[in-house]
């Protein structure tokens, strides 16, 4: 087999895996467990070492958020026709295709877009694929990232696009916002495929310049790709409303529980134009006529786009999708409705503003960019003797998860609808004690 593919050893297949993340030793596995009882005891002991975000007061966010998940969401998605239907074909489908079509329709309404994919792995993957779609549509190579971005997401996107694209991270301007002059300068060369922004950004800022970025991108012949938090869209305008060609993001806030490494699912949305639809690598479900006059079913649309149909000739490889998580988000959106989404968005924005104001009152604590509009996440800066990591350790001793550390002085804190005024006040009091 090696001779047939022209490789000297299997090691050549892993040439793209950076040395920094190679293990280079056997896995540190326990001795063989000889019974189910031993396995249950062993795994149970490991799980008992964990403190979850429901067991402690948590202000962690940065992409995975604790939200309330209505009981009916779990009730519906744990039905066997959804939970155990791995892929699904029409002849053995019991509502799964329709459920995903309903999810796409609800997301389309939320995003003010026409076409939404069956979820990809996660929001990181959705952003990377959206940018490669933009590259294929425009035939250009450079990609501009213009708002604050999660370093982990940047790593994933760079890894996924680097065979065909060059990423340019445009440094931010004043107040944690996009630097429009710097964006103009980068666009001047005329070789930019897409301008990518996030709403809110990694730092939680909803940049007032988002509409202006659309104009700059389009004037330069580039597409405008916007990553967004879908739970914000009851109060924040969807990307399509201010000129985005492609919207993307993660559906984790829409009824998906927090877990180690998830749960996640990536959405990509566009208008119903052939140049966009033809570049979706993922499955799209739609209505299709059946053999019975006047009867319709649910099935794949333009299946020939996908690597399922053309295998190695596909524009991108699409493996296992996060379809069950898409059904989860669909159930959540159906339960919430427009009014529910508006109310939860208003609650999160109000809690965020209160938290910013309350923490800024604590001696030794500053909130950079406090005047900017925020949603859920916000930066906290510690000006005393302790670093942000040391403050986080001290909070943990008090049963509180602090924010994600950004630098020695800064951490990213988050509040959602599950945080009450008393929770925020408890955090402020704990920070005051630590400062003393």
């Amino acid at each position: 087999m090696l001779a047939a593919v022209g490789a000297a050893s299997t090691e050549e297949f892993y040439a793209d895996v950076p040395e920094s993340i190679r293990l280079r030793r056997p896995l540190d596995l326990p001795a063989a467990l000889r019974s189910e009882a031993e396995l249950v005891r062993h795994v149970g002991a490991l799980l008992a070492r964990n403190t979850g975000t429901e067991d402690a007061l948590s202000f962690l966010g940065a992409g995975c958020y604790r939200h309330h998940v209505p009981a009916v969401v779990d009730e519906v998605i744990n039905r066997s026709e959804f939970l155990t239907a791995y892929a699904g074909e029409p002849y053995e489908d019991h509502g799964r295709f329709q459920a995903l079509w309903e999810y796409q329709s609800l997301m389309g309404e939320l995003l003010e877009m026409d076409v939404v994919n069956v979820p990809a792995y996660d929001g990181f993957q959705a952003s990377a694929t959206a940018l490669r779609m933009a590259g294929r549509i425009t035939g250009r190579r450079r990609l501009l990232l213009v708002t604050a971005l999660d370093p982990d997401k940047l790593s994933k996107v760079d890894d996924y696009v680097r065979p065909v694209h060059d990423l340019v991270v445009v440094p931010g301007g004043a107040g944690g916002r996009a630097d429009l002059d710097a964006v103009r300068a980068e666009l001047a060369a005329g070789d930019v495929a897409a301008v990518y922004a996030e709403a809110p950004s990694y730092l939680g800022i909803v940049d007032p310049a988002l509409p202006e970025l659309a104009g700059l991108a389009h004037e330069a012949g580039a597409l405008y790709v916007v990553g967004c938090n879908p739970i914000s869209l009851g109060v924040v305008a969807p990307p399509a409303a201010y000129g985005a060609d492609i919207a993307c993001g993660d559906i984790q806030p829409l009824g998906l529980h927090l877990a180690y490494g998830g749960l996640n699912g990536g959405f990509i949305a566009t208008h119903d134009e052939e140049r966009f639809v033809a570049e979706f690598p993922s499955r799209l479900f739609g209505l299709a006529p059946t053999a019975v006059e006047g009867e319709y079913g649910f099935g794949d649309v333009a299946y020939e786009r996908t690597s399922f149909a053309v295998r190695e000739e596909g524009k991108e490889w699409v493996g296992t999708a996060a379809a069950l998580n898409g059904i989860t988000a669909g159930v959540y959106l159906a339960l919430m409705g427009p009014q529910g989404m508006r109310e939860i968005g208003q609650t999160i924005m109000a809690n965020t503003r209160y938290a910013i104001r309350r923490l800024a009152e604590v001696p030794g604590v500053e909130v950079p960019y406090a005047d900017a509009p925020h949603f859920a996440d916000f930066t906290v800066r510690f000006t005393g003797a302790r670093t942000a990591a040391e403050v986080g350790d001290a909070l943990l001793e008090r049963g509180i998860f602090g924010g994600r550390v950004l630098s020695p002085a800064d951490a990213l804190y988050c509040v959602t609808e599950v945080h009450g005024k008393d929770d925020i006040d408890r955090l402020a009091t704990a920070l005051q004690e630590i400062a003393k």
Side-chain angles (χ1 to χ4, degrees):
M1 290 170 67
L2 288 169
V5 299
S9 72
T10 55
E11 185 67 21
E12 292 186 25
F13 303 144
Y14 306 107
D16 280 345
V17 179
E19 186 62 36
S20 61
I21 63 171
R22 300 229 191 168
L23 192 59
R24 298 300 190 192
R25 62 170 174 77
L27 289 170
D28 185 16
L29 297 174
L33 301 169
R34 305 186 65 84
S35 70
E36 183 179 317
E38 288 180 275
L39 176 63
V40 169
R41 192 180 306 117
H42 173 73
V43 174
L46 292 177
L47 292 172
R49 292 162 54 187
N50 183 56
T51 301
T53 56
E54 294 184 357
D55 304 318
L57 178 58
S58 175
F59 293 92
L60 290 165
C64 279
Y65 303 96
R66 187 176 168 224
H67 293 284
H68 174 68
V69 178
V72 72
V73 172
D74 292 330
E75 184 69 25
V76 172
I77 64 156
N78 281 301
R79 293 178 60 87
S80 59
E81 64 266 39
F82 297 142
L83 189 63
T84 63
Y86 167 71
E89 295 299 335
Y91 56 80
E92 51 80 51
D93 175 74
H94 301 286
R96 182 174 173 277
F97 280 23
Q98 180 177 352
L100 285 165
W101 180 82
E102 300 285 5
Y103 155 77
Q104 293 174 176
S105 302
L106 289 160
M107 286 294 291
E109 186 172 349
L110 185 67
L111 293 159
E112 294 184 11
M113 288 287 200
D114 306 307
V115 181
V116 181
N117 67 321
V118 173
Y121 299 103
D122 57 21
F124 291 11
Q125 180 64 49
S127 295
T129 289
L131 288 168
R132 287 192 65 156
M133 287 171 62
R136 291 193 293 272
I137 292 168
T138 62
R140 296 177 174 183
R141 186 169 179 91
R142 287 204 307 149
L143 304 168
L144 303 188
L145 311 182
V146 302
T147 54
L149 200 66
D150 181 347
D152 292 334
K153 177 181 280 192
L154 177 60
S155 173
K156 168 63 178 285
V157 170
D158 183 44
D159 184 57
Y160 195 75
V161 306
R162 63 190 167 92
V164 289
H165 291 293
D166 299 320
L167 283 185
V168 178
V169 178
V170 181
R177 305 175 188 184
D179 185 336
L180 296 181
D181 290 336
V183 174
R184 285 190 190 93
E186 291 290 349
L187 287 168
D191 60 348
V192 173
V195 172
Y196 179 83
E198 292 197 334
S201 73
Y202 176 54
L203 302 180
I205 295 172
V206 183
D207 196 327
L210 287 164
E212 195 169 346
L213 287 168
L216 294 178
H218 295 151
E219 288 169 12
L223 296 183
Y224 188 34
V225 181
V226 178
C228 65
N229 182 342
I231 208 167
S232 73
L233 299 181
V235 288
V236 178
Y242 48 83
D245 301 292
I246 306 175
C248 56
D250 201 306
I251 56 174
Q252 186 275 324
L254 303 180
L256 295 173
H257 291 281
L258 279 178
Y260 186 75
L263 300 166
N264 298 93
F267 68 84
I268 304 168
T270 70
H271 295 295
D272 188 10
E273 298 177 27
E274 185 176 353
R275 66 184 181 128
F276 292 114
V277 177
E279 299 304 333
F280 274 89
S282 42
R283 294 178 82 173
L284 303 171
F285 288 150
L287 289 171
T290 69
V292 178
E293 184 73 27
E295 181 182 84
Y296 290 84
F298 302 89
D300 283 283
V301 173
Y303 188 67
E304 66 280 358
R305 298 169 295 101
T306 69
S307 60
F308 294 108
V310 295
R311 312 310 293 171
E312 70 274 10
E313 300 300 323
K315 295 168 181 175
E316 291 182 44
W317 170 253
V318 178
T320 304
L324 182 66
N325 293 344
I327 295 173
T328 305
V331 175
Y332 181 87
L333 288 172
L335 282 169
M336 295 294 286
Q339 183 61 26
M341 292 300 289
R342 187 176 301 113
E343 289 174 1
I344 198 169
Q346 289 171 339
T347 301
I348 293 171
M349 289 199 89
N351 286 350
T352 307
R353 183 49 50 188
Y354 177 74
I356 289 172
R357 182 170 59 81
R358 183 70 179 85
L359 297 189
E361 296 171 354
V362 177
V365 173
E366 295 177 359
V367 181
Y369 326 125
D371 293 337
H374 282 76
F375 188 90
D377 294 297
F378 57 97
T379 304
V380 175
R381 178 166 296 157
F382 299 100
T383 60
R386 297 201 191 197
T387 66
E390 290 168 342
V391 171
D393 291 340
L395 286 172
L396 200 54
E397 293 171 359
R398 293 164 169 77
I400 299 174
F401 284 117
R404 181 180 184 178
V405 174
L406 301 176
S407 69
D410 293 354
L412 194 63
Y413 280 64
C414 168
V415 292
T416 69
E417 81 286 356
V418 302
H419 295 89
K421 178 178 180 294
D422 290 346
D423 296 323
I424 298 168
D425 289 342
R426 179 184 164 193
L427 172 63
T429 300
L431 291 174
Q432 204 154 356
E433 292 172 359
I434 293 166
K436 289 178 180 178

